[in-house]
Amino acid sequence: MTVEGPVQATNGQSHAHVNPKAEARFKPACKVLNALAGKKADPQKKSLLDAVTKRVDLSPVLGTELHGIQLSQLTEQQKEDLALLVSERGVVFFRDQDIDLDQQQELGKSWGPLHVHPIGRKDEAKEDAQIFQTNEASKIHAGDGWHTDISFEEVPSAYAILKLLEVPPVGGDTIWVSTYAAYDKLSPSFRDTIEHLTALHNAEVRPCVAPYSTLQYLFYLSRSPSDILNLLVRTHPTTGWKILFVNSGFTKHIKGYTKAESDALLHFLTNHIATSDDIKVRFRWEKNSVAIWDNRATQHLALWDYYPNTRHAQRVVVLGERPYYDPKSKSQLEAGGALYQAPPQWTRDIDGGKLGYKW
């Protein structure tokens, strides 16, 4: 359902700062389906990995750091290989990068159209890039809470590219969690239960985030927000692996369920993701570090533990495809795409096994 006219805030006030040019410009991008960055990649990713001086896998489940290569100098084949690596590993990190914002946008555009966020800062020079500067004067913090970027869009994000321009002396880490592995951790019977379900996603402003007066002063709405139905389980178009596609930031209600039923299931799923420390990776930023992550294969959480110090970053978000589910697709573990094996504790209490139940 698309909201017409002035957008109502949660306190009943209207957002007055709608940017009609950005709204009109965004609509063609919404028609793009299956850009499929990484489909032309070499499965071995030789053009990319042969050019780096060091590869470090930060955990068995997700997160890889590459050294000795500049993102500003990638060839077209290296861009394709990088897209595939990001989709397989969830998030890939680089340090000491000289890439500027224009080059960051060009890298993003090689994978798909860039996203124009519906809530933009009034002082941003570029509508298809976001600048985040959190300091002593900040009232809110971008990235709070577990989420995947823009899951409330008809065509959600495929990739995001974030560069840190200024980092606090300590703190300001970002944590990612694998939504491939979050799906794999569920019991087979539970997976069968949720695979046919859809849920409402939207980006309504929550009073707990900031007072409306603060949001109205800092931000404008570039277009009207929508309520979007998305699958709880989707198939990644490049890897073919199943994804648990639900997040506490934007997933509001499961279609066909009562509020109590929906709240209970969403609480379980979002808590399952938030508390699965064995499928996470935590990155300590340095100045000019870059992270590129797949918004389908991961969720992330940016920590605001550095107040009153400053953290300054620039981001571009790449649109992907309309989420779909292929019943023939497999999980990452089933497809043999993981660098790890499922530990016994993931399945040891199915049917009450840990409690010694007899069936």
Side-chain angles (χ1 to χ4, degrees), residues 183 234-236 240-242 325-331 334:
Y183 174 84
R234 63 183 289 194
T235 301
H236 195 290
W241 303 334
K242 293 180 182 179
Y325 174 73
D326 180 356
K328 296 181 181 179
S329 59
K330 298 181 179 181
S331 76
E334 290 170 340

Side-chain angles (χ1 to χ4, degrees), residues 333-353:
L333 283 175
E334 290 170 340
L339 299 183
Y340 68 98
Q341 297 181 3
Q345 65 263 31
W346 285 12
T347 56
R348 66 186 177 191
D349 64 346
I350 291 179
D351 292 336

Side-chain angles (χ1 to χ4, degrees), residues 2-68:
T2 301
V3 180
E4 303 292 343
V7 181
Q8 295 296 316
T10 50
N11 62 358
Q13 301 186 58
S14 295
H15 293 287
H17 305 288
V18 175
N19 185 331
K21 292 182 179 180
E23 183 165 18
R25 185 163 59 256
F26 179 81
K27 288 180 180 178
C30 278
K31 303 299 183 183
V32 176
L33 299 177
N34 294 325
L36 297 185
K39 278 293 188 179
K40 297 179 181 178
D42 166 17
Q44 303 303 315
K45 300 169 278 290
K46 284 184 171 293
S47 74
L48 177 70
L49 298 180
D50 285 354
V52 305
T53 58
K54 187 179 181 181
R55 169 182 173 165
V56 180
D57 291 326
L58 302 181
S59 90
V61 181
L62 80 163
T64 293
E65 189 169 327
L66 298 182
H67 296 260

Side-chain angles (χ1 to χ4, degrees), residues 173-193:
D173 296 358
T174 303
I175 309 171
W176 282 264
V177 61
S178 170
T179 50
Y180 293 139
Y183 174 84
D184 264 317
K185 286 189 72 172
L186 299 171
S187 69
S189 293
F190 194 87
R191 294 180 213 163
D192 291 342
T193 299

